[in-house]
Amino acid sequence: MRVTDNLKTIQEKINDACRKSGRNPEEVKLVAVTKYVSVERAQEALEAGVVHLGENRDEGLLAKWEVLKDRPVWHFIGSLQTRKVKSIIDVAEYIHSLDRLSLADEIQKRAVKPIKCFIQVNVSGEESKHGMSPSDVLDFIRAIKSHDKIIVEGLMTMAPLTDDEDRIRNCFKELKSLREKIQQLSIENSPCKELSMGMSNDFHIAIEEGATFIRIGTALVG
Ligand SMILES: *Cc1c(COP(=O)(O)O)cnc(C)c1O
């Protein structure tokens, strides 16, 4: 399938989910996750009108950056080893996987300008999932309030792998309510306005629950 055709289908689903939940489709940004595909396919996505590209490994990000440079807005979406920070920090505009203090410290040390971060939260509690426990997030936000190279743009989560729509929906709802608690702290480097949630199989639910960034691989470029 051509990316343009996939994009059209996805955009229709985005519009449907927005209509259902009374939202403006312009609030929902699409990150094309290109981790499984070639740079040519990533380029096809850009030509189809995609603006944001997401990669989950430093090698993948840098290899595609070599060719595409700063045409896309780059998102780093994978779990990030502390020692890899310096290789991606000048390329990625967003990091979706901030999940521990040691990583925040390293970003603070390496970044030359503030970088937009999402705190990855393991809402579902599945052991296989990365991310911070929801109960640790508020203390974490307080602990990094002087990290002036970090802007906590929002929260990110991955829904549990299940057919149970209610469980998926509850996971997204919980992330949204956590965002409200963070906003109430009124901490300058944590505006926390965004929600990065929803992938190929569940983005319609995520949008209904308030997603502002959806991360789509398979359904778009796969
Ligand atoms: C791979 C990946 C995605 C995209 O998943 P699809 O199911 O292919 O849409 C989204 N977010 C993260 C963090 C990923 O690793």
Side-chain angles (χ1 to χ4, degrees):
M1 284 289 274
R2 295 187 310 164
V3 176
T4 34
D5 297 327
N6 293 338
L7 184 60
K8 202 160 161 254
T9 308
I10 290 167
Q11 193 59 54
E12 280 163 12
K13 287 189 185 165
I14 293 173
N15 294 347
D16 281 349
C18 284
R19 204 172 307 120
K20 237 172 130 177
S21 51
R23 299 186 60 203
N24 179 351
E26 282 174 16
E27 293 169 17
V28 182
K29 294 180 194 74
L30 170 64
V31 180
V33 177
T34 50
K35 64 189 184 193
Y36 300 125
V37 301
S38 65
V39 65
E40 289 76 20
R41 191 71 166 160
Q43 196 146 15
E44 195 189 331
L46 295 180
E47 277 152 19
V50 167
V51 175
H52 301 271
L53 294 191
E55 284 282 330
N56 69 336
R57 300 188 57 203
D58 65 319
E59 295 95 335
L61 178 65
L62 295 173
K64 289 199 175 69
W65 181 81
E66 276 301 322
V67 180
L68 303 174
K69 303 289 180 188
D70 291 333
R71 275 177 64 201
V73 175
W74 290 107
H75 294 248
F76 190 85
I77 61 167
S79 74
L80 181 55
Q81 289 174 292
T82 307
R83 64 188 173 86
K84 303 279 188 168
V85 167
K86 65 174 181 297
S87 64
I88 63 118
I89 195 84
D90 294 330
V91 172
E93 202 161 311
Y94 291 83
I95 295 174
H96 289 241
S97 46
L98 177 56
D99 62 357
R100 60 194 188 279
L101 195 54
S102 58
L103 183 57
D105 290 343
E106 181 69 9
I107 293 171
Q108 175 67 21
K109 186 167 134 195
R110 299 286 178 184
V112 284
K113 58 176 179 4
I115 178 156
K116 296 169 193 153
C117 296
F118 288 84
I119 297 178
Q120 184 170 354
V121 188
N122 184 0
V123 179
S124 71
E126 288 180 311
E127 244 174 66
S128 60
K129 292 245 164 26
H130 289 277
M132 188 175 284
S133 156
S135 58
D136 292 336
V137 174
L138 291 178
D139 281 343
F140 179 72
I141 294 276
R142 292 185 190 101
I144 62 168
K145 68 175 194 297
S146 307
H147 287 53
D148 61 359
K149 297 296 194 304
I150 291 179
I151 306 164
V152 179
E153 281 284 302
L155 302 176
M156 180 275 219
T157 200
M158 290 170 86
L161 208 63
T162 171
D163 292 332
D164 183 345
E165 277 215 2
D166 289 339
R167 266 187 71 206
I168 295 173
R169 190 177 295 280
N170 283 336
C171 171
F172 295 147
K173 277 187 201 295
E174 200 177 316
L175 197 71
K176 186 176 183 180
S177 80
L178 192 54
R179 178 180 68 172
E180 263 146 50
K181 291 184 190 133
I182 294 167
Q183 289 176 349
Q184 282 163 12
L185 296 177
S186 296
I187 289 178
E188 201 181 332
N189 71 335
S190 291
C192 205
K193 295 204 168 72
E194 313 292 345
L195 291 172
S196 168
M197 56 190 199
M199 310 186 354
S200 291
N201 291 325
D202 55 23
F203 70 89
H204 58 291
I205 308 173
I207 291 170
E208 287 171 28
E209 299 306 330
T212 61
F213 284 85
I214 55 175
R215 310 176 309 268
I216 301 191
T218 320
L220 182 62
V221 293

